[in-house]
Amino acid sequence: LMGDPGGSDALVRLVQSLSSAVVYTESSNFETNRKLWDNYARDWSKEKDWVEKMVTNLPGERAENEANTNIIGDEWSDRSSLEQVIREYVVPFLPVVSPDPSTPSETPAPLCVGELGTGGGRVVSRVLPYLQGTHSTFHCFDISSEMLKRTKAHLSSLGYDDTNHHHHHQDESTHDPAHTPTPTEPTSHIRTTMEYSPLERRILPSDLANTFDFLYSFDVFPHLDLHTQHQYFREIYRCLKPGGHAFVSVATLTTQGGWARFEKQNKYTVGGFYFVSPDIIKILTSHAGLQIVRDSSTDDTNNLYYNRDYLF
């Protein structure tokens, strides 16, 4: 075409003939996820039939799971499984002096913690009490602005004021105190600064390099394709401080529950799971510069996450 005087016209005609196909290009994994979770957040209610159906599929007593379903994400796991993972994979790597959220640290140090994909705030609301007694900053990241609205509303109801960023403890009426840590009233000079960041691309803000002591992500990577997972692993490495840690849950074929769910799928969709294996995760993380220090390959299979996912 380049050597033909009429080549440019031919090229135009070719593009025009393909225009109908070009219009229907496949949306990126990022954009599809954004649309899905925006709609999920807008439509969510514990009374919705589709939410109730998800709750009935959880392990444990149905009545207990229904009573524990109060915010977005409670339908994704039973409460005891979630809180066991937080105790075993998150709390030990938070660089605080006291592992007991009711006992403030004696030597507060500036800390920076973040969650990729905060959803409705079910995990961050359980992690924040462990930062009690520290000058800390918590970053809530999500590609869904509607999910971030839900997170803000939930944390505000628990006394985490988004306006002045101070944490004022109040009664957590939607949580059983036997399961959710209850922090003490903070002293006036101790504060947790909340930051809410909607993500427009598969990267974290450029000014957050070497910032985080701890980054974590629950129930997000199972909805990401491999290229998107790879990009986020690179971002996690870029944004961690030297010596910092991260926690991620992924959907794996190598667990009993993971394989059972995979067999029921006809194909991958963002609403379903993108299944991987520990070997794939080791390749992705090593190329991103990360080193796995602990995984769930030998953990209790009575836990929904340990039975279905790969945690590291």
Side-chain angles (χ1 to χ4, degrees), residues 28-34 36-37 40 54 76 117 122 143 147 217-226 228-229 232 249-251 261 265 268-276 308-309:
S28 69
N29 180 261
F30 182 93
E31 288 300 328
T32 305
N33 265 294
R34 185 205 299 280
L36 170 66
W37 300 115
Y40 194 105
M54 294 177 71
W76 299 337
R122 70 180 181 128
I143 66 173
M147 283 292 190
S217 183
F218 273 87
D219 297 312
V220 172
F221 277 64
H223 304 287
L224 308 180
D225 61 28
L226 281 185
T228 304
Q229 291 186 40
Y232 278 126
S249 67
V250 298
R261 181 158 182 162
Q265 289 187 187
Y268 163 71
T269 64
V270 294
F273 280 4
Y274 193 105
F275 286 93
V276 294
R308 188 193 67 190
D309 300 339

Side-chain angles (χ1 to χ4, degrees), residues 6-49:
S8 58
D9 291 335
L11 182 59
V12 170
R13 290 195 298 272
L14 176 61
V15 171
Q16 289 174 341
S17 70
L18 296 175
S19 62
S20 59
V22 174
V23 170
Y24 298 103
T25 55
E26 183 180 359
S27 296
S28 69
N29 180 261
F30 182 93
E31 288 300 328
T32 305
N33 265 294
R34 185 205 299 280
K35 293 175 182 177
L36 170 66
W37 300 115
D38 272 345
N39 289 332
Y40 194 105
R42 291 190 192 101
D43 195 46
W44 190 94
S45 168
K46 63 182 297 182
E47 288 80 23
K48 292 283 186 176
D49 290 341

Side-chain angles (χ1 to χ4, degrees), residues 66-82:
E66 289 177 345
N68 289 338
T69 302
N70 299 295
I71 61 171
I72 288 180
D74 284 339
E75 70 276 14
W76 299 337
S77 74
D78 60 290
R79 179 177 289 187
S80 61
S81 291
L82 173 65

